[in-house]
Amino acid sequence: MPTPIRRIAHLDMDAFYASVEWLRYPQLKGLPMVIGAGAARMDGLLAALPEGATRADIPVGAFPLLRDYVGRGVITTATYPARQFGVGSAMGLMKAAKLCPQAILLPVDFSEYRRYSREFKRVIREIAPVMEDRGVDEVYIDFTEVPGGQREGGRVLARLIQKSILDATGLGCSIGVAPNKLVAKMASEFDKPNGISIVFGHDVERLIWPLPCRKINGIGPKADARLQGHGIRTIGELAARERAWLAGHFGKSCGAWLHDAAWGCDERLVVTESEPVSMSRETTFGRDLHAVRDKAELGAIFTGLAESLAADLQRKGYQGKTIGIKLRFDDFRIVTRDTTIAQPTHDAATIRRVAGLCLKRVPLDRRLRLLGVRVGSLSKLGAKRAGEAAAAGSPHDTAPLF
DNA sequence: TCTGGGGTCCTTTTCCTT
DNA sequence: TCTGAAGGAAAAGGACCC
């Protein structure tokens, strides 16, 4: 029996959020549509839809339009007909409304996307149990030891998974199969939507090297700009640089990583389970708030964040001992502060109080746009039950700022 | 008229202890 | 008691990703 060749798949759902919306509202297919995030302020966006009608019967004219939206928020997803107007992900809603006022605007519905996410991952695990969760719409799968995982380089198994997901959920996906995660991730983009791309080690030069460096997972806008500053635009050009030269210009570990990535080398394993490191809650206000003038409002929001974060921790069975805040000022400058306490906690009042102390260490000279609360250094809530965990912190705190 | 929310990981800075 | 070096932990920031 020959040793199986390492085959790793990356699966990426096609237009995931939009596709889930199309399952509820098939009449919206083909229309310019954006899904916007801005949470609380978008609640009620769909309230005007006719009652009693089944969702597929709601006339297209009844849906909210981008032109009628007033307030803050960004686009999470834009469908292709909307993109033709220059609208794209991460764009402000007000700006998008100028470009494509007739686009339908739906509020992002994370709980529904998570439901579908759990379902398609369940389907995958039944077929190929070594699966790594990489967020709501993508996973890595180790095909190496799965029966049939070697046939046609993984194409047969990929096809089976694609069909099983479609049958169970109605959703399409694209899959890349390669010798490792790095290349599989790039391969899954080769043939979207509903594509399957098979890449072997000897294909790297032909299929990977012509791509821009940005296509490497881990090279973002900053690293790309730096590379371009050295005249390096494609992965092939990156591969042509000496390992030592890269180490000299980007640091030892980063340089080595860049070199390996360009040559399609990646030994990372498919990790089937992991523990969270931190949990947080944050919110952007409807308008910028002033630390003094809007003290009451800020205080209430602050408390609310601490309470929902505590509820998240308790529901998921975690406690943490590093408590921190995040502020975004009206000029978009971000500041964080955190403190480590003696005993881990998931108590709302403790989190609120320690976070309040962190806040006092920040000069609040500008108005605030966002406030966040974070708990890190998490530990799983073991046999020892909660309750006693709330007793952390020093007893002589001064009056809270909010 | 701008620019969400929830994460991870890495590097640099700061602070404390010896 | 002061000073400086060294090392580690905690804090802060930044890049990146979905």
Side-chain angles (χ1 to χ4, degrees), chain A residues 110-168:
Chain A
F110 279 111
S111 60
E112 185 74 350
Y113 309 150
R114 265 195 297 269
R115 262 191 48 217
Y116 278 94
S117 180
R118 280 193 294 270
E119 178 62 10
F120 87 74
K121 287 167 191 168
R122 186 190 62 75
V123 171
I124 294 169
R125 279 201 200 89
E126 272 182 11
I127 299 167
V130 184
M131 187 201 81
E132 177 175 335
D133 209 321
R134 293 302 299 189
V136 75
D137 73 337
E138 61 179 89
V139 297
Y140 289 105
I141 313 161
D142 194 335
F143 277 16
T144 312
E145 307 281 349
V146 179
Q150 299 282 334
R151 290 176 59 195
E152 297 177 32
R155 185 179 298 277
V156 173
L157 184 56
R159 220 183 271 135
L160 172 66
I161 289 173
Q162 242 182 6
K163 181 172 186 319
S164 303
I165 291 174
L166 183 66
D167 290 347

Side-chain angles (χ1 to χ4, degrees), chain A residues 25 65 117 247 253 265 365 371:
Chain A
Y25 308 119
L65 297 181
S117 180
S253 78
C265 301
D365 41 1
L371 179 60

Side-chain angles (χ1 to χ4, degrees), chain A residues 72 284-285 287-290 326-336 362-370:
Chain A
R72 284 179 165 160
T284 298
F285 314 131
R287 61 180 178 92
D288 297 340
L289 297 179
H290 194 277
K326 170 176 162 183
L327 303 177
R328 172 136 57 197
F329 293 101
D330 56 359
D331 61 356
F332 259 71
R333 198 165 44 91
I334 292 171
V335 168
T336 62
V362 184
L364 297 172
D365 41 1
R366 302 194 66 107
R367 286 202 296 204
L368 294 169
R369 180 183 181 88
L370 169 146

